[in-house]
Amino acid sequence: MTPECCNTDHHNWDGLRRMVGYLRGAYAKNLGDPGWEEVVAELCSESEVFASLWGLNDVAVPASRTKLVRNLAVGELEMCSC
């Protein structure tokens, strides 16, 4: 929900879709939990992008990937989560 200008993470559509899929995978283990329901409802109401991705019903498991992070001091950093 952070504006693009202030966000240190550089996300593409596939990366965002994957992250929401990770969240849905964790959510599935907590169905009916009021705390989870509240978080998902808030994210959907605050972000049209999140709401549209959540509506896809994708589920994903964490996997190794490369992530781009913007740093004001050094510029763009490429990191691997393995």
Side-chain angles (χ1 to χ4, degrees), residues 5-20:
C5 64
C6 304
N7 197 337
T8 59
D9 291 330
H10 175 74
H11 299 296
N12 59 33
W13 183 256
D14 289 335
L16 291 172
R17 189 172 178 173
R18 185 181 310 108
M19 284 190 288
V20 174

Side-chain angles (χ1 to χ4, degrees), residues 25-53:
Y27 170 82
K29 298 174 187 172
N30 295 281
L31 288 175
D33 182 314
W36 276 87
E37 300 293 335
E38 184 179 324
V39 167
V40 171
E42 181 180 351
L43 288 169
C44 285
S45 69
E46 294 292 324
S47 170
E48 289 180 26
V49 173
F50 180 86
S52 67
L53 290 168

Side-chain angles (χ1 to χ4, degrees), residues 20-82:
V20 174
Y22 296 160
L23 183 66
R24 185 174 282 286
Y27 170 82
K29 298 174 187 172
N30 295 281
L31 288 175
D33 182 314
W36 276 87
E37 300 293 335
E38 184 179 324
V39 167
V40 171
E42 181 180 351
L43 288 169
C44 285
S45 69
E46 294 292 324
S47 170
E48 289 180 26
V49 173
F50 180 86
S52 67
L53 290 168
W54 188 257
L56 296 175
N57 294 317
D58 288 342
V59 176
V61 293
S64 297
R65 68 183 194 91
T66 301
K67 180 177 181 177
L68 294 176
V69 177
R70 280 178 269 181
N71 181 288
L72 293 175
V74 297
E76 202 167 83
L77 300 171
E78 188 173 295
M79 304 169 128
C80 178
S81 62
C82 304

